[in-house]
Amino acid sequence: MYLFAAEGAEEHNPIIPLWQEIVVGTIAFALLCYVLMKFVFPRMEKTFQARVEAIEGGIKRAEAAQAEANQLLEQYRAQLAEARTDAARIRDDARADAEGIRQDVLAKAREESDRIIAAGKEQLAAERATIVRDLRAEVGTLAVDLASKIVGESLADEARRKGTVERFLSDLESTGAR
């Protein structure tokens, strides 16, 4: 089968490697491990560390930004609550002012109304007094004329006429009071 067998060499088993290959493979593996450990792994470690720091820094920045956002949100809510309170106070003050103005206007209107009514009453009383005085004079004159015709004598005398008129009016008032 093999040509090597004729020369007297033993037959080599392909499953078991040659010792020279094992030595070369071990040296190559050791050299590869040395290069990886000396140059590649430290750089990879630095890269991984930088990535970890970047990620942790990003997380810390995100947490700081979140905390700042929460603080700003709380400030906004506080300002909003304060603004609502101020708006409610302003509304209440405006309502109170409006009510005060309304009460003042009503009071002034009542005063004006009372003044007009009082002036009207005074005017009516003055006109009534004038009318009563005029009516007394007219009634007195008519009474004197009527009495002169009934009595048949002249009541032209002022004192007599005045006494007669007063007596007549007194009689009329007492009759009207009954």
Side-chain angles (χ1 to χ4, degrees), residues 3-170:
L3 293 173
F4 296 113
E7 290 180 11
E10 341 180 339
E11 212 175 292
H12 177 60
N13 187 358
I15 295 179
I16 299 175
L18 296 174
W19 68 271
Q20 295 91 355
E21 289 178 358
I22 291 177
V23 170
V24 170
T26 303
I27 292 173
F29 182 73
L31 185 63
L32 179 66
C33 285
Y34 175 77
V35 169
L36 287 176
M37 286 183 195
K38 184 73 175 171
F39 301 109
V40 176
F41 288 158
R43 286 189 182 175
M44 288 178 67
E45 187 64 32
K46 286 180 185 176
T47 304
F48 289 144
Q49 189 63 33
R51 289 183 100 190
V52 166
E53 288 174 1
I55 290 171
E56 287 177 356
I59 290 172
K60 286 180 183 176
R61 284 191 306 272
E63 288 174 351
Q66 182 67 31
E68 184 179 348
N70 286 339
Q71 182 183 9
L72 290 173
L73 179 63
E74 287 303 317
Q75 287 177 353
Y76 168 74
R77 286 181 179 163
Q79 289 174 349
L80 183 62
E82 183 179 335
R84 285 182 178 156
T85 304
D86 288 346
R89 182 184 48 78
I90 290 169
R91 250 190 335 267
D92 292 341
D93 289 347
R95 284 185 185 138
D97 290 346
E99 183 63 26
I101 291 169
R102 184 172 117 4
Q103 291 298 329
D104 289 345
V105 168
L106 285 175
K108 287 179 183 177
R110 283 188 193 114
E111 289 174 5
E112 184 68 19
S113 164
D114 292 343
R115 186 186 64 74
I116 290 171
I117 289 172
K121 284 182 180 179
E122 288 175 7
Q123 187 178 1
L124 281 175
E127 286 179 9
R128 181 173 183 233
T130 304
I131 291 172
V132 167
R133 188 180 58 234
D134 291 345
L135 205 63
R136 278 185 176 244
E138 184 72 28
V139 168
T141 305
L142 287 174
V144 167
D145 288 344
L146 188 61
S148 293
K149 288 182 184 177
I150 291 174
V151 172
E153 68 180 68
S154 174
L155 297 174
D157 181 359
E158 186 63 34
R160 199 185 284 170
R161 186 185 328 163
K162 197 168 191 150
T164 306
V165 169
E166 290 298 323
R167 194 176 52 240
F168 178 72
L169 289 176
S170 296

